[in-house]
């Protein structure tokens, strides 16, 4: 959670078990320490962070990033999120990822985020 600047992270199976009125967003496809394959990583959003516009715009920016084709557009989309939601850790992390790909493109881009540690 520290790496994402969030509070509660979960996989898709857990996210799907939550009541529909509990706000959540898919953060990224991810490999997590201790698991063999990648998962869709979700954030449970508290009432003070649950903003439908944030969730929708994040999903749009994430979709752009995951195509691996237009990092400039992804940078702009995540940058707009940071301007409106300056304390949103996931948007900041994804902005950094998009900028890194724009500046130094990976020869074999993968949208899957890799955890560096368990915390």
């Amino acid at each position: 959670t520290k790496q994402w600047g969030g509070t509660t992270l979960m996989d898709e199976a857990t996210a799907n078990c939550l009541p529909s009125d509990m706000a959540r967003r898919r953060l990224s496809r991810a490999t997590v320490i201790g698991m063999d394959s990648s998962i869709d990583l979700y954030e449970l959003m508290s009432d003070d962070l649950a903003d439908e516009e944030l969730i929708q715009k994040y999903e749009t920016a994430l979709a752009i990033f995951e195509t691996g084709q237009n990092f400039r557009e992804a940078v702009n989309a995540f940058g707009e999120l940071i301007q409106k939601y300056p304390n949103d850790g996931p948007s900041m992390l994804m902005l950094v990822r998009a900028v890194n790909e724009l500046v130094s493109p990976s020869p074999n881009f993968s949208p899957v985020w890799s955890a560096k540690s368990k915390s």
Side-chain angles (χ1 to χ4, degrees):
T1 57
K2 288 180 185 179
Q3 295 171 58
W4 282 93
T7 55
T8 305
L9 302 181
M10 66 196 110
D11 65 7
E12 183 174 18
T14 302
N16 288 337
C17 291
L18 298 175
S20 61
D21 64 339
M22 293 184 77
R24 59 191 153 288
R25 65 175 159 173
R26 186 174 78 87
L27 297 178
S28 177
R29 190 91 183 140
T31 55
V32 180
I33 294 172
M35 297 183 81
D36 293 332
S37 59
S38 62
I39 61 166
D40 280 323
L41 188 64
Y42 285 77
E43 175 187 32
L44 176 63
M45 301 180 79
S46 63
D47 289 340
D48 59 322
L49 293 177
D51 181 316
E52 192 60 36
E53 181 183 15
L54 169 60
I55 294 168
Q56 289 177 347
K57 288 189 175 195
Y58 184 92
E59 288 176 3
T60 299
L62 180 61
I64 295 165
F65 176 82
E66 289 180 330
T67 67
Q69 296 178 7
N70 193 341
F71 294 113
R72 185 174 308 282
E73 187 178 347
V75 166
N76 288 336
F78 285 115
E80 287 176 15
L81 280 169
I82 291 301
Q83 286 179 353
K84 184 157 186 180
Y85 306 95
N87 297 318
D88 185 48
S91 293
M92 182 60 76
L93 185 134
M94 291 304 300
L95 175 61
V96 169
R97 288 183 69 197
V99 167
N100 287 342
E101 287 297 331
L102 184 63
V103 173
S104 300
S106 301
N108 298 316
F109 170 75
S110 171
V112 178
W113 175 79
S114 296
K116 305 292 184 224
S117 69
K118 284 191 172 191
S119 58

